[in-house]
């Protein structure tokens, strides 16, 4: 039965690769990382998180609304020209 190597450098390398931050997590969580360094979350921090979440949801809803409107307009024009 082979349980892997006891080489410490291989384990350290795997751990460091697993914990390496990606560009997504750096850009998305920069304010979050800053707050975690403080040690405690205040009510203002929680309110800031809530407002940023609401802003992101509102932005997504507007995108869906615009895409839906464009699709309905296109579908209406297509049906209009097919009916002629």
């Amino acid at each position: 039965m082979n349980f892997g190597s006891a080489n410490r450098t291989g384990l350290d390398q795997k751990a460091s690769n697993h914990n390496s931050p990606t560009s997504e997590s750096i850009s998305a969580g920069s304010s979050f990382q800053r707050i975690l360094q403080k040690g405690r979350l205040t009510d203002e921090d929680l309110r800031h998180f809530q407002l940023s979440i609401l802003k992101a949801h509102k932005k997504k809803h507007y995108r869906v609304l615009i895409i839906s409107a464009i699709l309905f307009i296109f579908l209406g024009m297509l049906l209009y020209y097919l009916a002629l």
Side-chain angles (χ1 to χ4, degrees):
M1 293 165 74
N2 185 5
F3 292 104
S5 74
N7 187 359
R8 197 77 174 129
T9 58
L11 294 175
D12 291 341
Q13 187 179 18
K14 287 179 185 176
S16 66
N17 286 343
H18 180 67
N19 293 331
S20 63
T22 61
S23 61
E24 271 185 21
S25 64
I26 290 172
S27 64
S30 62
S31 63
F32 183 70
Q33 293 294 334
R34 198 171 349 124
I35 290 171
L36 284 180
Q37 290 175 354
K38 286 186 199 178
R40 289 188 176 214
L41 290 176
T42 63
D43 289 338
E44 184 178 333
D45 294 331
L46 293 174
R47 193 171 334 115
H48 176 70
F49 281 139
Q50 184 181 18
L51 290 175
S52 65
I53 290 170
L54 289 174
K55 187 187 300 184
H57 282 287
K58 192 179 283 188
K59 191 176 181 180
K60 287 180 185 178
H61 288 296
Y62 283 133
R63 284 184 192 159
V64 169
L65 181 65
I66 289 171
I67 291 171
S68 299
I70 290 171
L71 287 175
F72 280 123
I73 289 171
F74 178 73
L75 187 62
M77 288 173 39
L78 184 67
L79 290 175
Y80 176 77
Y81 285 115
L82 288 177
L84 289 179

